[in-house]
Amino acid sequence: YFCLGQCRHVGVCWVCCLRLRALSRDWNCPVCKEQLNEVLITNDRSASLAPAALRDLPGDSSLGVRFADDRVRRAALQLLGYRCTLDACGRSGKHAFGSLRELEDHLWYQHWRQL
């Protein structure tokens, strides 16, 4: 999968695209720096970016991202979720916390650890 915007640069990794948009709030194409209000994460180089074609696809409006299918949407949500990664934790990797604060509380009260 890759991230595709109006500039049609296809050499952008979808994970890097999500990280730029979610963590850095950088909504520009990493190749040409064009501002991309919405991108499509797909594996089809010829995918349509017309509003009518994108409207029915799952997406995240807070990140300006549409997903070509539900599989990549689930992977993206897992990538962006707050999760406990300690092997001894019964919730490790399975449950995403609603906020960073919830994860911090879990780590402290369940494992006596801090971020």
Side-chain angles (χ1 to χ4, degrees):
Y1 286 93
F2 52 87
C3 194
L4 185 62
Q6 290 296 329
C7 59
R8 310 241 12 127
H9 287 117
V10 295
V12 181
C13 161
W14 72 275
V15 174
C16 297
C17 178
L18 279 177
R19 286 181 179 158
L20 283 168
R21 294 174 90 81
L23 302 176
S24 301
R25 292 306 208 201
D26 182 355
W27 289 31
N28 298 320
C29 172
V31 177
C32 68
K33 304 301 181 202
E34 178 181 339
Q35 169 125 8
L36 301 173
N37 293 326
E38 190 165 64
V39 295
L40 173 64
I41 296 178
T42 182
N43 59 355
D44 179 7
R45 292 177 185 267
S46 64
S48 173
L49 296 173
L54 296 176
R55 187 177 13 248
D56 295 331
L57 296 176
D60 184 328
S61 60
S62 68
L63 295 175
V65 175
R66 295 286 181 166
F67 304 101
D69 56 50
D70 201 50
R71 182 175 151 242
V72 73
R73 184 192 64 80
R74 285 191 313 269
L77 292 177
Q78 184 159 357
L79 177 71
L80 296 173
Y82 297 109
R83 289 181 165 60
C84 180
T85 59
L86 297 174
D87 292 333
C89 183
R91 297 174 76 166
S92 180
K94 296 179 180 115
H95 173 75
F97 293 92
S99 68
L100 180 58
R101 182 71 190 166
E102 287 180 25
L103 175 58
E104 288 175 329
D105 287 346
H106 167 79
L107 288 171
W108 181 250
Y109 293 113
Q110 297 298 316
H111 306 294
W112 290 93
R113 296 191 181 186
Q114 293 180 318
L115 282 177

